Amino acid sequence: DRPGTDKIVNWVLKNSYSKQVILLHDGFAKREQTVAALPRIIEGIQSKGLGFSQICADWHQTQAKLGKMVYTV
């Protein structure tokens, strides 16, 4: 069974700290929970005084081509 949006959000925010890479897998065909969690994760990370930056343009572009969303905190 899938974890649920609240569990995803709570786990990411509990375990987020500076200079960490957060990689979220959206599953094969069921993306609703991860997609629903993203706005709350972004808001929670910002409320902790953290932000987002690009890791490496080439690496990021490669990941994007593979269909992965990559954020650093």
Side-chain angles (χ1 to χ4, degrees), residues 50-66:
L50 301 171
F52 300 90
S53 64
Q54 189 169 333
I55 300 171
C56 169
D58 292 336
W59 185 82
H60 188 268
Q61 289 171 359
T62 300
Q63 296 303 303
K65 287 177 185 174
L66 296 173

Side-chain angles (χ1 to χ4, degrees), residues 22-41:
I22 298 172
L23 177 61
L24 299 173
H25 297 274
D26 63 8
F28 176 69
K30 298 183 178 184
R31 299 175 174 98
E32 302 87 15
Q33 293 179 1
T34 303
V35 171
L38 279 174
R40 292 172 48 198
I41 290 170

Side-chain angles (χ1 to χ4, degrees), residues 4-24:
T5 302
D6 289 337
K7 188 169 185 177
I8 294 168
V9 171
N10 292 337
W11 190 92
V12 171
L13 295 180
K14 177 183 173 187
N15 294 288
S16 61
Y17 53 89
S18 183
K19 298 185 181 175
Q20 178 185 31
V21 175
I22 298 172
L23 177 61
L24 299 173

